[in-house]
Structure formats: C-alpha cells, structure tokens
Amino acid sequence: MIPAHNEQDRIGKAIRSLDEQISKPDLTIVIADNCTDRTALAAQSAGADVFVSVGNEHGRSGALNQVLDLLLPQLRDDDAILIMDADSFLAPEF
C-alpha cells in the first residue's frame, strides 16, 4: 500500500520499484489522498490499483485506515502488508 498526496511525478517510480522485486507483491494499492493532481491516473497507468480516499481529515494514517478497514477482513493469516511512502523506492532484492 502506498498512500500518496499529489505525487503524480514520483508514484510511477515507487510502483516500478515494487514490480522489480524478486518476490513481487500480489497487489499494489495506491491510496490517492485528497489529491489535486493526476496521482490516481499516474498510479493506474503504472499498473497499481487505486483507492481514492473519501472525506479524510486525518492525513496519511486516515487514508491508510480507510483501505485497511476494507482489506483486513479479507486477509489470510499468512498474508503480509507492506506500507511505503510514495517518494520511496525499494532496492530490487528488498
């Protein structure tokens, strides 16, 4: 999961860093939080699923909680969630 606020210029690189992992994520979700730019479109173009926060007044944690409320009930005991910042990039063997 990648919470992002107005990160249209950087979000593609963050998503690519996940796609280049030896063990690729099953799902990449970008949370477009109160964006006024094209973050959601850039994330979708880079291959991520996009969740647009609704009425979030609690910053990054509020945006994450909106998605986690939907996602956690669907996870299995052996699932894991990685949360990274939109301007972060993981090395391929992370």
Side-chain angles (χ1 to χ4, degrees):
M1 293 181 12
I2 307 172
H5 174 74
N6 292 343
E7 300 282 358
Q8 71 179 17
D9 296 332
R10 291 178 284 280
I11 196 66
K13 187 172 181 182
I15 293 166
R16 278 190 302 281
S17 79
L18 292 172
D19 291 341
E20 293 170 353
Q21 294 299 304
I22 292 169
S23 178
K24 297 177 185 182
D26 294 324
L27 179 65
T28 300
I29 301 171
V30 170
I31 308 159
D33 182 39
N34 294 320
C35 294
T36 57
D37 67 357
R38 306 186 97 188
T39 296
L41 181 60
Q44 190 174 33
S45 295
D49 289 329
V50 176
F51 177 90
V52 178
S53 65
V54 178
N56 179 30
E57 298 177 0
H58 302 288
R60 183 176 294 133
S61 61
L64 287 166
N65 283 337
Q66 285 187 13
V67 175
L68 288 171
D69 283 345
L70 299 172
L71 191 60
L72 288 177
Q74 300 177 44
L75 297 180
R76 298 179 313 245
D77 289 341
D78 60 344
D79 286 332
I81 296 175
L82 169 74
I83 298 171
M84 64 181 271
D85 200 54
D87 59 3
S88 298
F89 317 107
L90 298 179
E93 296 183 17
F94 173 75

Coordinates of all heavy atoms in Angstrom, one line a residue:
M1 N 0.8 -1.2 0.0 CA 0.0 0.0 0.0 C 0.9 1.2 0.0 O 1.9 1.3 0.7 CB -0.9 0.0 1.2 CG -1.9 -1.1 1.2 SD -3.1 -1.2 2.6 CE -2.9 0.3 3.5
I2 N 0.5 2.2 -0.8 CA 1.3 3.4 -0.9 C 0.3 4.6 -0.8 O -0.4 4.9 -1.7 CB 2.0 3.5 -2.3 CG1 2.8 2.3 -2.6 CG2 2.8 4.8 -2.4 CD1 3.4 2.2 -4.0
P3 N 0.3 5.2 0.4 CA -0.5 6.5 0.5 C 0.2 7.6 -0.3 O 1.4 7.7 -0.2 CB -0.5 6.7 2.0 CG 0.7 6.1 2.5 CD 1.0 4.9 1.6
A4 N -0.6 8.4 -1.0 CA 0.0 9.4 -1.9 C -0.8 10.6 -1.9 O -2.0 10.5 -2.1 CB 0.2 8.8 -3.3
H5 N -0.2 11.8 -1.7 CA -0.9 13.1 -1.8 C -0.1 13.9 -2.8 O 1.1 14.3 -2.6 CB -0.9 13.8 -0.5 CG -1.5 15.2 -0.6 ND1 -2.8 15.4 -0.8 CD2 -0.9 16.4 -0.6 CE1 -3.0 16.7 -0.9 NE2 -1.9 17.3 -0.8
N6 N -0.7 14.1 -4.0 CA -0.1 14.9 -5.1 C 1.3 14.4 -5.4 O 2.3 15.2 -5.3 CB -0.1 16.4 -4.7 CG -1.4 17.0 -4.7 OD1 -2.4 16.4 -5.2 ND2 -1.6 18.1 -4.0
E7 N 1.4 13.2 -5.8 CA 2.7 12.5 -6.1 C 2.8 12.0 -7.6 O 3.4 11.1 -7.9 CB 2.9 11.3 -5.2 CG 2.9 11.6 -3.7 CD 4.3 12.2 -3.2 OE1 5.2 12.3 -4.1 OE2 4.3 12.5 -2.1
Q8 N 2.1 12.7 -8.5 CA 2.0 12.2 -9.8 C 3.3 12.1 -10.5 O 3.5 11.2 -11.3 CB 1.1 13.2 -10.7 CG 1.7 14.5 -11.0 CD 0.8 15.4 -11.9 OE1 -0.4 15.1 -12.0 NE2 1.4 16.4 -12.5
D9 N 4.3 12.9 -10.1 CA 5.6 12.8 -10.7 C 6.5 11.7 -10.2 O 7.5 11.3 -10.8 CB 6.4 14.1 -10.6 CG 5.7 15.2 -11.4 OD1 5.0 14.9 -12.4 OD2 5.8 16.4 -11.0
R10 N 6.2 11.1 -9.0 CA 7.0 10.1 -8.3 C 6.4 8.8 -8.2 O 7.1 7.8 -8.0 CB 7.4 10.7 -7.0 CG 8.4 11.8 -7.0 CD 8.7 12.3 -5.6 NE 7.6 13.1 -5.0 CZ 7.4 14.4 -5.2 NH1 8.1 15.0 -6.1 NH2 6.4 15.0 -4.6
I11 N 5.1 8.7 -8.3 CA 4.4 7.5 -7.9 C 4.8 6.3 -8.9 O 4.9 5.2 -8.5 CB 2.8 7.7 -7.9 CG1 2.2 6.5 -7.2 CG2 2.2 7.9 -9.3 CD1 2.5 6.4 -5.7
G12 N 5.0 6.6 -10.1 CA 5.4 5.5 -11.1 C 6.7 4.9 -10.7 O 6.8 3.6 -10.8
K13 N 7.6 5.6 -10.2 CA 8.9 5.0 -9.8 C 8.7 4.2 -8.6 O 9.3 3.1 -8.5 CB 9.9 6.1 -9.6 CG 11.3 5.6 -9.3 CD 12.4 6.7 -9.3 CE 13.7 6.1 -9.0 NZ 14.8 7.2 -8.9
A14 N 7.9 4.6 -7.7 CA 7.6 3.8 -6.5 C 7.0 2.5 -6.8 O 7.4 1.4 -6.3 CB 6.8 4.6 -5.5
I15 N 6.0 2.5 -7.7 CA 5.3 1.3 -8.2 C 6.3 0.4 -8.9 O 6.3 -0.8 -8.7 CB 4.1 1.6 -9.0 CG1 3.1 2.4 -8.2 CG2 3.5 0.4 -9.7 CD1 2.0 3.0 -9.0
R16 N 7.1 0.9 -9.8 CA 8.1 0.1 -10.5 C 9.1 -0.6 -9.6 O 9.5 -1.7 -9.8 CB 8.9 1.0 -11.5 CG 8.1 1.2 -12.8 CD 9.0 1.8 -13.9 NE 9.6 3.1 -13.5 CZ 8.9 4.3 -13.5 NH1 7.6 4.3 -13.9 NH2 9.5 5.4 -13.2
S17 N 9.5 0.1 -8.5 CA 10.4 -0.5 -7.5 C 9.7 -1.7 -6.9 O 10.5 -2.7 -6.5 CB 10.8 0.5 -6.5 OG 9.9 0.7 -5.4
L18 N 8.4 -1.8 -6.7 CA 7.8 -2.9 -6.2 C 7.7 -4.0 -7.3 O 7.9 -5.2 -7.0 CB 6.3 -2.6 -5.7 CG 6.3 -1.7 -4.5 CD1 4.8 -1.3 -4.2 CD2 6.8 -2.4 -3.3
D19 N 7.4 -3.6 -8.5 CA 7.3 -4.6 -9.6 C 8.7 -5.2 -9.9 O 8.7 -6.3 -10.5 CB 6.8 -3.9 -10.9 CG 5.4 -3.5 -10.8 OD1 4.6 -4.0 -9.9 OD2 4.9 -2.6 -11.6
E20 N 9.8 -4.6 -9.6 CA 11.1 -5.1 -9.8 C 11.6 -6.0 -8.7 O 12.8 -6.5 -8.8 CB 12.1 -4.0 -10.1 CG 11.8 -3.2 -11.3 CD 12.6 -1.9 -11.5 OE1 13.3 -1.5 -10.5 OE2 12.5 -1.3 -12.6
Q21 N 10.8 -6.3 -7.7 CA 11.2 -7.1 -6.6 C 11.4 -8.6 -7.0 O 10.6 -9.0 -7.9 CB 10.2 -7.0 -5.4 CG 10.2 -5.7 -4.7 CD 11.5 -5.3 -4.1 OE1 12.0 -6.0 -3.3 NE2 12.0 -4.1 -4.6
I22 N 12.3 -9.3 -6.4 CA 12.4 -10.7 -6.7 C 11.1 -11.4 -6.4 O 10.6 -12.3 -7.1 CB 13.6 -11.3 -5.9 CG1 14.9 -10.8 -6.5 CG2 13.6 -12.9 -6.0 CD1 16.1 -11.1 -5.7
S23 N 10.5 -11.1 -5.2 CA 9.2 -11.6 -4.8 C 8.2 -10.4 -5.0 O 8.2 -9.5 -4.1 CB 9.3 -12.0 -3.4 OG 8.0 -12.5 -3.0
K24 N 7.5 -10.4 -6.1 CA 6.6 -9.3 -6.4 C 5.3 -9.3 -5.5 O 4.9 -10.4 -5.2 CB 6.2 -9.3 -7.9 CG 7.4 -9.2 -8.8 CD 7.0 -9.3 -10.2 CE 8.3 -9.2 -11.0 NZ 8.2 -9.3 -12.4
P25 N 4.8 -8.2 -5.2 CA 3.5 -8.2 -4.5 C 2.4 -8.7 -5.3 O 2.4 -8.6 -6.5 CB 3.3 -6.7 -4.1 CG 4.2 -5.9 -5.1 CD 5.3 -6.8 -5.5
D26 N 1.4 -9.3 -4.6 CA 0.3 -9.8 -5.3 C -0.6 -8.7 -5.7 O -1.4 -8.8 -6.7 CB -0.5 -10.8 -4.4 CG 0.2 -12.1 -4.1 OD1 0.9 -12.6 -5.0 OD2 0.1 -12.6 -3.0
L27 N -0.6 -7.6 -5.0 CA -1.5 -6.5 -5.2 C -0.7 -5.2 -4.7 O -0.1 -5.2 -3.7 CB -2.7 -6.7 -4.4 CG -3.8 -5.6 -4.4 CD1 -4.4 -5.5 -5.8 CD2 -4.9 -5.9 -3.4
T28 N -0.8 -4.2 -5.6 CA -0.2 -2.9 -5.2 C -1.4 -1.9 -5.2 O -2.1 -1.7 -6.2 CB 0.8 -2.4 -6.2 OG1 1.9 -3.3 -6.2 CG2 1.4 -1.0 -5.8
I29 N -1.6 -1.3 -4.1 CA -2.7 -0.3 -3.9 C -2.1 1.1 -3.6 O -1.4 1.2 -2.7 CB -3.7 -0.7 -2.8 CG1 -4.3 -2.1 -3.0 CG2 -4.8 0.4 -2.6 CD1 -5.1 -2.6 -1.8
V30 N -2.4 2.0 -4.5 CA -2.1 3.4 -4.2 C -3.3 4.1 -3.7 O -4.4 4.0 -4.2 CB -1.6 4.1 -5.5 CG1 -1.4 5.6 -5.2 CG2 -0.3 3.5 -5.9
I31 N -3.2 4.8 -2.5 CA -4.3 5.5 -1.9 C -4.1 7.0 -2.3 O -3.2 7.6 -1.7 CB -4.3 5.3 -0.4 CG1 -4.2 3.8 0.0 CG2 -5.5 6.0 0.2 CD1 -3.7 3.5 1.4
A32 N -4.9 7.4 -3.2 CA -4.8 8.8 -3.6 C -5.6 9.6 -2.6 O -6.8 9.6 -2.6 CB -5.4 9.0 -5.0
D33 N -4.9 10.3 -1.8 CA -5.5 11.0 -0.6 C -5.6 12.5 -0.9 O -4.6 13.2 -0.8 CB -4.6 10.8 0.6 CG -5.3 11.4 1.9 OD1 -6.5 11.4 2.0 OD2 -4.5 11.9 2.7
N34 N -6.8 13.0 -1.1 CA -7.0 14.4 -1.2 C -6.1 15.1 -2.3 O -5.7 16.2 -2.2 CB -6.9 15.2 0.1 CG -7.9 14.8 1.1 OD1 -9.1 14.6 0.8 ND2 -7.5 14.6 2.3
C35 N -5.9 14.3 -3.4 CA -5.0 14.8 -4.5 C -5.7 15.9 -5.3 O -6.9 15.8 -5.6 CB -4.6 13.6 -5.4 SG -3.6 12.4 -4.5
T36 N -5.0 16.8 -5.8 CA -5.4 17.8 -6.7 C -4.7 17.7 -8.0 O -4.9 18.6 -8.9 CB -5.3 19.3 -6.1 OG1 -3.9 19.5 -5.8 CG2 -6.1 19.4 -4.9
D37 N -3.9 16.7 -8.2 CA -3.1 16.5 -9.4 C -3.6 15.1 -10.0 O -4.7 14.6 -9.7 CB -1.6 16.5 -9.2 CG -1.1 15.4 -8.3 OD1 -1.9 14.5 -7.8 OD2 0.1 15.3 -8.1
R38 N -2.8 14.5 -10.8 CA -3.1 13.3 -11.5 C -2.5 12.1 -10.9 O -2.1 11.1 -11.6 CB -2.8 13.4 -13.0 CG -3.4 14.7 -13.6 CD -3.2 14.8 -15.0 NE -4.5 14.3 -15.6 CZ -4.7 14.0 -16.8 NH1 -3.8 14.2 -17.7 NH2 -5.8 13.5 -17.2
T39 N -2.3 12.1 -9.6 CA -1.7 10.9 -8.9 C -2.4 9.6 -9.2 O -1.8 8.6 -9.5 CB -1.6 11.2 -7.4 OG1 -0.8 12.3 -7.2 CG2 -1.1 10.0 -6.7
A40 N -3.7 9.7 -9.1 CA -4.5 8.4 -9.3 C -4.3 7.9 -10.7 O -4.1 6.7 -10.9 CB -6.0 8.7 -9.1
L41 N -4.4 8.8 -11.7 CA -4.2 8.3 -13.1 C -2.8 7.8 -13.4 O -2.6 6.8 -14.0 CB -4.5 9.5 -14.1 CG -4.4 9.2 -15.5 CD1 -5.3 8.1 -16.0 CD2 -4.6 10.5 -16.4
A42 N -1.8 8.5 -12.8 CA -0.4 8.0 -12.9 C -0.2 6.6 -12.3 O 0.5 5.8 -12.8 CB 0.6 9.0 -12.4
A43 N -0.8 6.4 -11.1 CA -0.7 5.2 -10.4 C -1.4 4.0 -11.2 O -0.8 2.9 -11.4 CB -1.3 5.3 -9.1
Q44 N -2.5 4.3 -11.7 CA -3.3 3.3 -12.5 C -2.5 3.0 -13.8 O -2.4 1.9 -14.2 CB -4.7 3.9 -12.9 CG -5.6 2.9 -13.5 CD -7.0 3.4 -13.7 OE1 -7.2 4.6 -13.9 NE2 -8.0 2.5 -13.5
S45 N -1.9 4.0 -14.4 CA -1.1 3.8 -15.7 C 0.1 3.0 -15.4 O 0.6 2.3 -16.3 CB -0.7 5.2 -16.2 OG -1.8 5.9 -16.7
A46 N 0.6 3.0 -14.2 CA 1.8 2.3 -13.8 C 1.4 0.8 -13.3 O 2.3 0.1 -13.0 CB 2.6 3.0 -12.7
G47 N 0.1 0.5 -13.3 CA -0.3 -0.8 -13.0 C -0.8 -1.1 -11.6 O -1.1 -2.2 -11.3
A48 N -0.9 0.0 -10.8 CA -1.5 -0.2 -9.5 C -3.0 -0.1 -9.4 O -3.6 0.5 -10.3 CB -0.9 0.8 -8.5
D49 N -3.6 -0.7 -8.4 CA -5.0 -0.5 -8.1 C -5.0 0.8 -7.4 O -4.1 1.1 -6.6 CB -5.6 -1.6 -7.3 CG -5.8 -2.9 -8.1 OD1 -6.0 -2.8 -9.3 OD2 -5.6 -4.0 -7.5
V50 N -6.1 1.6 -7.5 CA -6.1 2.9 -6.9 C -7.4 3.0 -6.0 O -8.5 2.6 -6.5 CB -6.2 4.0 -8.0 CG1 -6.4 5.4 -7.3 CG2 -4.9 4.0 -8.8
F51 N -7.2 3.5 -4.8 CA -8.3 3.8 -3.9 C -8.2 5.3 -3.7 O -7.2 5.8 -3.3 CB -8.1 3.0 -2.6 CG -9.2 3.3 -1.6 CD1 -10.3 2.6 -1.5 CD2 -9.0 4.4 -0.7 CE1 -11.3 2.9 -0.6 CE2 -9.9 4.7 0.3 CZ -11.1 3.9 0.3
V52 N -9.3 6.0 -3.9 CA -9.4 7.4 -3.6 C -10.0 7.6 -2.3 O -11.2 7.2 -2.1 CB -10.2 8.1 -4.7 CG1 -10.3 9.6 -4.4 CG2 -9.5 7.9 -6.1
S53 N -9.3 8.2 -1.4 CA -9.9 8.5 0.0 C -11.1 9.4 -0.1 O -11.2 10.2 -1.0 CB -8.8 9.1 0.9 OG -8.4 10.4 0.5
V54 N -12.0 9.2 0.9 CA -13.2 10.0 0.9 C -13.4 10.7 2.2 O -13.4 10.0 3.3 CB -14.4 9.0 0.6 CG1 -15.7 9.8 0.7 CG2 -14.3 8.3 -0.7
G55 N -13.4 12.0 2.2 CA -13.6 12.7 3.4 C -12.6 12.6 4.5 O -12.8 12.7 5.6
N56 N -11.4 12.3 4.0 CA -10.3 12.0 5.0 C -9.8 13.3 5.6 O -9.3 14.2 4.8 CB -9.1 11.3 4.3 CG -8.0 11.0 5.3 OD1 -8.2 10.9 6.5 ND2 -6.8 11.0 4.8
E57 N -9.8 13.5 6.9 CA -9.3 14.7 7.5 C -8.1 14.3 8.5 O -7.7 15.1 9.3 CB -10.4 15.4 8.3 CG -11.5 15.8 7.5 CD -12.7 16.4 8.3 OE1 -12.6 16.5 9.5 OE2 -13.7 16.9 7.6
H58 N -7.6 13.1 8.3 CA -6.6 12.6 9.3 C -5.3 12.3 8.6 O -4.5 11.4 9.1 CB -7.2 11.4 10.1 CG -8.4 11.8 10.8 ND1 -8.5 12.6 11.9 CD2 -9.7 11.4 10.5 CE1 -9.7 12.7 12.3 NE2 -10.5 12.0 11.5
G59 N -5.0 12.9 7.5 CA -3.7 12.7 6.8 C -3.5 11.3 6.4 O -4.4 10.5 6.1
R60 N -2.2 10.9 6.3 CA -1.8 9.6 5.8 C -2.4 8.5 6.6 O -2.8 7.5 6.0 CB -0.2 9.5 5.9 CG 0.3 8.2 5.3 CD 1.8 8.2 5.3 NE 2.3 9.3 4.4 CZ 3.3 10.1 4.7 NH1 3.9 10.1 5.8 NH2 3.6 11.0 3.8
S61 N -2.4 8.6 7.9 CA -3.0 7.5 8.7 C -4.5 7.3 8.4 O -5.0 6.2 8.4 CB -2.7 7.7 10.2 OG -3.3 8.9 10.7
G62 N -5.2 8.4 8.3 CA -6.6 8.3 7.9 C -6.8 7.6 6.6 O -7.7 6.8 6.4
A63 N -6.0 7.9 5.6 CA -6.1 7.3 4.3 C -5.8 5.8 4.4 O -6.5 5.0 3.8 CB -5.1 8.0 3.3
L64 N -4.8 5.5 5.1 CA -4.4 4.0 5.3 C -5.6 3.3 6.0 O -5.9 2.2 5.6 CB -3.1 3.9 6.1 CG -1.9 4.2 5.3 CD1 -0.7 4.4 6.3 CD2 -1.6 3.2 4.3
N65 N -6.1 3.9 7.0 CA -7.2 3.3 7.7 C -8.4 3.0 6.9 O -9.1 2.0 7.0 CB -7.6 4.1 9.0 CG -6.6 3.9 10.1 OD1 -5.9 2.9 10.2 ND2 -6.5 4.9 11.0
Q66 N -8.7 3.9 5.9 CA -9.9 3.7 5.1 C -9.7 2.4 4.2 O -10.6 1.6 4.1 CB -10.1 4.9 4.1 CG -10.7 6.1 4.8 CD -11.0 7.2 3.9 OE1 -11.1 7.0 2.6 NE2 -11.3 8.4 4.4
V67 N -8.5 2.2 3.8 CA -8.2 1.0 3.0 C -8.1 -0.3 3.9 O -8.6 -1.3 3.6 CB -6.9 1.1 2.1 CG1 -6.6 -0.2 1.4 CG2 -7.1 2.2 1.1
L68 N -7.4 -0.1 5.0 CA -7.3 -1.3 5.9 C -8.6 -1.8 6.4 O -8.8 -3.0 6.6 CB -6.4 -0.9 7.1 CG -4.9 -0.8 6.7 CD1 -4.1 -0.2 7.9 CD2 -4.3 -2.1 6.3
D69 N -9.6 -0.9 6.6 CA -10.9 -1.3 7.1 C -11.5 -2.2 6.0 O -12.3 -3.2 6.4 CB -11.8 -0.1 7.2 CG -11.6 0.7 8.5 OD1 -10.9 0.2 9.4 OD2 -12.0 1.8 8.6
L70 N -11.3 -2.0 4.8 CA -11.8 -2.9 3.7 C -11.0 -4.1 3.5 O -11.5 -5.2 3.2 CB -11.9 -2.1 2.4 CG -12.8 -0.9 2.4 CD1 -12.6 -0.1 1.1 CD2 -14.2 -1.3 2.6
L71 N -9.7 -4.0 3.6 CA -8.7 -5.0 3.3 C -8.5 -6.1 4.4 O -8.5 -7.3 4.1 CB -7.4 -4.4 2.9 CG -6.3 -5.3 2.3 CD1 -6.8 -5.8 0.9 CD2 -5.0 -4.5 2.1
L72 N -8.4 -5.7 5.6 CA -8.0 -6.6 6.7 C -9.0 -7.8 6.8 O -8.6 -8.9 7.0 CB -7.9 -5.9 8.0 CG -6.6 -5.0 8.2 CD1 -6.7 -4.3 9.5 CD2 -5.4 -5.9 8.0
P73 N -10.3 -7.6 6.7 CA -11.2 -8.7 6.8 C -11.0 -9.8 5.8 O -11.5 -10.9 5.9 CB -12.6 -8.1 6.8 CG -12.4 -6.7 7.1 CD -11.1 -6.3 6.6
Q74 N -10.4 -9.4 4.7 CA -10.2 -10.4 3.5 C -8.9 -11.1 3.6 O -8.7 -12.0 2.8 CB -10.3 -9.6 2.2 CG -11.6 -8.9 2.0 CD -11.6 -8.1 0.7 OE1 -11.1 -8.6 -0.3 NE2 -12.1 -6.9 0.8
L75 N -8.0 -10.7 4.5 CA -6.7 -11.3 4.5 C -6.6 -12.7 5.2 O -7.4 -12.9 6.2 CB -5.7 -10.4 5.2 CG -5.5 -9.0 4.5 CD1 -4.5 -8.2 5.2 CD2 -5.0 -9.2 3.0
R76 N -5.7 -13.5 4.8 CA -5.4 -14.8 5.5 C -4.4 -14.6 6.5 O -3.7 -13.5 6.6 CB -5.0 -15.8 4.5 CG -6.0 -16.1 3.4 CD -5.4 -17.1 2.4 NE -4.1 -16.8 2.0 CZ -3.7 -16.4 0.8 NH1 -4.6 -16.4 -0.2 NH2 -2.4 -16.1 0.5
D77 N -4.2 -15.5 7.4 CA -3.2 -15.4 8.5 C -1.8 -15.3 8.0 O -1.0 -14.7 8.7 CB -3.3 -16.6 9.4 CG -4.6 -16.6 10.3 OD1 -5.2 -15.6 10.4 OD2 -4.9 -17.7 10.8
D78 N -1.5 -15.8 6.8 CA -0.1 -15.7 6.3 C 0.1 -14.6 5.3 O 1.2 -14.5 4.7 CB 0.3 -17.1 5.7 CG -0.6 -17.5 4.5 OD1 -1.7 -16.9 4.3 OD2 -0.2 -18.4 3.7
D79 N -0.9 -13.7 5.2 CA -0.7 -12.5 4.3 C 0.1 -11.5 5.0 O 0.1 -11.4 6.3 CB -2.1 -11.9 3.9 CG -2.8 -12.8 2.9 OD1 -2.1 -13.5 2.1 OD2 -4.0 -12.7 2.9
A80 N 0.8 -10.6 4.3 CA 1.6 -9.5 4.9 C 1.2 -8.3 4.1 O 0.9 -8.3 2.9 CB 3.0 -9.8 4.8
I81 N 1.4 -7.2 4.8 CA 1.1 -5.9 4.1 C 2.4 -5.0 4.3 O 2.9 -4.9 5.4 CB 0.0 -5.1 4.8 CG1 -1.4 -5.9 4.6 CG2 -0.2 -3.7 4.2 CD1 -2.5 -5.3 5.3
L82 N 2.8 -4.5 3.2 CA 4.0 -3.5 3.2 C 3.4 -2.2 2.9 O 2.6 -2.0 1.9 CB 5.0 -3.9 2.1 CG 6.0 -2.8 1.8 CD1 7.0 -2.8 2.9 CD2 6.7 -3.0 0.5
I83 N 3.7 -1.2 3.7 CA 3.3 0.2 3.5 C 4.5 1.0 3.3 O 5.5 0.9 4.1 CB 2.5 0.7 4.7 CG1 1.3 -0.1 5.0 CG2 2.2 2.2 4.5 CD1 0.5 0.2 6.3
M84 N 4.5 1.7 2.1 CA 5.7 2.5 1.8 C 5.3 3.9 1.4 O 4.1 4.0 0.9 CB 6.6 1.8 0.7 CG 5.9 1.7 -0.6 SD 7.0 0.9 -1.8 CE 7.9 2.3 -2.5
D85 N 6.1 4.8 1.5 CA 5.8 6.2 1.2 C 5.9 6.4 -0.4 O 6.7 5.6 -1.0 CB 6.8 7.2 1.9 CG 6.2 8.6 1.9 OD1 5.1 8.7 2.4 OD2 6.9 9.5 1.5
A86 N 5.2 7.3 -0.9 CA 5.1 7.4 -2.4 C 6.4 7.9 -2.9 O 6.7 7.8 -4.1 CB 4.0 8.4 -2.7
D87 N 7.3 8.6 -2.1 CA 8.5 9.0 -2.7 C 9.7 8.1 -2.2 O 10.9 8.5 -2.2 CB 8.8 10.5 -2.3 CG 8.8 10.8 -0.8 OD1 8.7 9.8 0.0 OD2 9.0 11.9 -0.5
S88 N 9.4 6.9 -1.9 CA 10.4 5.9 -1.5 C 10.5 4.9 -2.7 O 9.6 4.6 -3.4 CB 9.9 5.1 -0.3 OG 9.8 6.0 0.8
F89 N 11.7 4.3 -2.8 CA 11.9 3.3 -3.8 C 12.7 2.1 -3.2 O 13.8 2.4 -2.6 CB 12.7 3.9 -5.0 CG 12.2 5.3 -5.3 CD1 12.9 6.4 -5.0 CD2 11.0 5.4 -5.9 CE1 12.5 7.7 -5.3 CE2 10.5 6.7 -6.2 CZ 11.2 7.8 -5.9
L90 N 12.2 0.9 -3.3 CA 12.9 -0.2 -2.8 C 13.9 -0.8 -3.7 O 13.7 -0.8 -4.9 CB 11.9 -1.3 -2.5 CG 10.8 -1.0 -1.4 CD1 9.9 -2.1 -1.3 CD2 11.4 -0.6 -0.1
A91 N 15.1 -1.2 -3.2 CA 16.0 -2.0 -4.0 C 15.4 -3.3 -4.4 O 14.6 -3.9 -3.7 CB 17.3 -2.2 -3.1
P92 N 15.8 -3.8 -5.6 CA 15.2 -5.0 -6.1 C 15.2 -6.2 -5.2 O 14.4 -7.1 -5.3 CB 16.0 -5.3 -7.4 CG 16.5 -3.9 -7.8 CD 16.8 -3.2 -6.5
E93 N 16.2 -6.4 -4.4 CA 16.2 -7.5 -3.5 C 15.8 -7.3 -2.1 O 16.1 -8.0 -1.2 CB 17.7 -8.1 -3.5 CG 18.1 -8.6 -4.9 CD 19.4 -9.2 -4.9 OE1 20.0 -9.6 -3.9 OE2 20.0 -9.3 -6.0
F94 N 15.0 -6.2 -1.9 CA 14.5 -5.9 -0.6 C 13.8 -7.1 0.1 O 14.0 -7.5 1.1 CB 13.5 -4.7 -0.6 CG 12.9 -4.4 0.7 CD1 13.6 -3.8 1.7 CD2 11.6 -4.8 1.0 CE1 13.0 -3.6 3.0 CE2 11.0 -4.5 2.2 CZ 11.7 -3.9 3.2

